[in-house]
Amino acid sequence: MRKIIVNSILIALLCYCVTAKAAIIDTVLTYSAAMHKNIKAVVIKPNGYSENKKFATVYVLHGAGGKYSDWLTDVPDKQTLPKLADLYNLIIICPDGNVSSWYFDSPVDPAYKYETYISTELVSYIDSHYSTIKDRSKRAITGLSMGGHGALYLAFKHQNIYGACGSMSGGVDLRPFPNNWDIAKRLGKYSDYPERWETNSVVNLVYLLTPNSLAITFDCGSSDFFYQVNKNLHNELLERNIPHDFTVRPGGHTWEYWGNSINYQMLFFYNFFSLGK
């Protein structure tokens, strides 16, 4: 009986230690002065988090129709991001993009200034409330679908903020989809304002890059409806001699695909952060 009790205690202590060392998930309320409102975000701190250490940060954006908590609730393995935060000892931030903001400052609706929010207000909040390395060499951004567009869009336009960027199944060219995902609500109808759709499509922002100005990785499933626009972006980057990683895998526009893809994206960012040591 004594042996059984001792074993039970040891198992309980082991379970406690494993739990105690797990990543810590915060849901924070941030304020956007640009939009005069509070916005939620998830912040995942690694098990080694301490105010006495400084950590790299990775911002992970959700897709159209989604919200800040998607990466904890919709991915097949709900512990994917906490495990990655622990594995690579970094802070992961999942902001809210208000369902269909597309992560730019809308010229139509002043309630949608998500370029300003993500790249200025949120980064400032995270850097002032958490023990982060406040330098582009230790800050990356990625996302899925609308968030893939947003991550590359923000990184291309704010290279002083982000040193590395990624996209998973990103909508990197808005023009082929004039009637989808509320894009027209953010930019105006394509037929009325074609220049807005041109200047806000990631594929048309490659001119902002110089070789190695950003570490870039993006991927797309071969069965995804965004596959061709991602392939076009890859070719545009090749033509301009911009180094990048582009991966095509079997799969479609699904959480099974993104739950797998995020592992490779985080490895890419970890390698980038390590090179900056």
Side-chain angles (χ1 to χ4, degrees), residues 224-273:
D224 197 298
F225 48 79
F226 282 146
Y227 170 66
Q228 188 58 51
V229 294
N230 277 269
K231 188 175 178 181
N232 294 344
L233 175 60
H234 167 60
N235 290 332
E236 186 71 19
L237 291 167
L238 286 177
E239 183 177 333
R240 294 176 180 267
N241 198 32
I242 305 297
H244 63 284
D245 282 8
F246 174 54
T247 303
V248 178
R249 301 188 188 94
H253 212 72
T254 67
W255 275 104
E256 287 73 22
Y257 179 89
W258 303 319
N260 177 55
S261 175
I262 191 65
N263 293 287
Y264 299 96
Q265 298 254 325
M266 286 296 179
L267 175 59
F268 180 91
F269 297 143
Y270 173 75
N271 288 336
F272 168 77
F273 296 148

Side-chain angles (χ1 to χ4, degrees), residues 7-19:
N7 286 341
S8 298
I9 292 172
L10 289 173
I11 291 171
L13 287 172
L14 179 61
C15 291
Y16 172 78
C17 291
V18 170
T19 303

Side-chain angles (χ1 to χ4, degrees), residues 96-110:
D96 194 82
N98 198 5
V99 184
S100 59
S101 69
W102 285 86
Y103 300 103
F104 43 59
D105 288 353
S106 170
V108 175
D109 189 345

Side-chain angles (χ1 to χ4, degrees), residues 4-257:
I4 293 174
I5 292 173
V6 170
N7 286 341
S8 298
I9 292 172
L10 289 173
I11 291 171
L13 287 172
L14 179 61
C15 291
Y16 172 78
C17 291
V18 170
T19 303
K21 290 184 178 181
I24 299 170
I25 301 171
D26 297 338
T27 299
V28 298
L29 198 62
T30 69
Y31 180 71
S32 169
M35 294 182 283
H36 310 289
K37 65 180 180 180
N38 292 314
I39 303 173
K40 287 184 177 180
V42 161
V43 181
I44 305 170
K45 297 179 292 186
N47 58 36
Y49 182 82
S50 166
E51 293 294 336
N52 297 322
K53 296 172 62 178
K54 299 294 183 181
F55 297 84
T57 51
V58 179
Y59 292 75
V60 182
L61 309 182
H62 66 76
K67 58 184 178 180
Y68 67 98
S69 57
D70 282 1
W71 274 100
L72 296 178
T73 61
D74 293 356
V75 70
D77 180 356
K78 306 298 188 289
Q79 291 300 309
T80 295
L81 289 195
K83 288 176 181 177
L84 290 169
D86 284 347
L87 178 62
Y88 295 122
N89 201 34
L90 47 79
I91 300 172
I92 299 174
I93 304 98
C94 301
D96 194 82
N98 198 5
V99 184
S100 59
S101 69
W102 285 86
Y103 300 103
F104 43 59
D105 288 353
S106 170
V108 175
D109 189 345
Y112 285 82
K113 294 184 178 179
Y114 281 82
E115 177 181 352
T116 297
Y117 168 65
I118 299 291
S119 291
T120 302
E121 296 172 330
L122 181 61
V123 168
S124 177
Y125 175 91
I126 295 299
D127 283 350
S128 63
H129 287 78
Y130 292 89
S131 188
T132 64
I133 303 173
K134 302 173 178 62
D135 189 272
R136 67 182 299 274
S137 66
K138 296 295 188 292
R139 190 184 294 120
I141 185 168
T142 188
L144 66 90
S145 193
M146 177 184 81
H149 155 86
L152 297 184
Y153 179 89
L154 296 173
F156 286 14
K157 294 187 70 177
H158 299 275
Q159 295 176 49
N160 60 317
I161 301 296
Y162 310 101
C165 58
S167 170
M168 296 164 277
S169 313
V172 295
D173 191 346
L174 307 177
R175 297 168 299 176
F177 309 98
N179 301 313
N180 297 91
W181 312 298
D182 291 342
I183 305 173
K185 291 183 180 180
R186 310 294 162 243
L187 294 178
K189 291 175 61 178
Y190 184 32
S191 57
D192 294 337
Y193 302 100
E195 73 285 353
R196 292 178 182 171
W197 292 66
E198 295 283 341
T199 58
N200 284 284
S201 286
V202 167
V203 72
N204 292 329
L205 297 177
V206 175
Y207 74 92
L208 295 172
L209 305 174
T210 56
N212 299 308
S213 61
L214 276 174
I216 303 169
T217 181
F218 62 107
D219 60 74
C220 195
S222 57
S223 302
D224 197 298
F225 48 79
F226 282 146
Y227 170 66
Q228 188 58 51
V229 294
N230 277 269
K231 188 175 178 181
N232 294 344
L233 175 60
H234 167 60
N235 290 332
E236 186 71 19
L237 291 167
L238 286 177
E239 183 177 333
R240 294 176 180 267
N241 198 32
I242 305 297
H244 63 284
D245 282 8
F246 174 54
T247 303
V248 178
R249 301 188 188 94
H253 212 72
T254 67
W255 275 104
E256 287 73 22
Y257 179 89

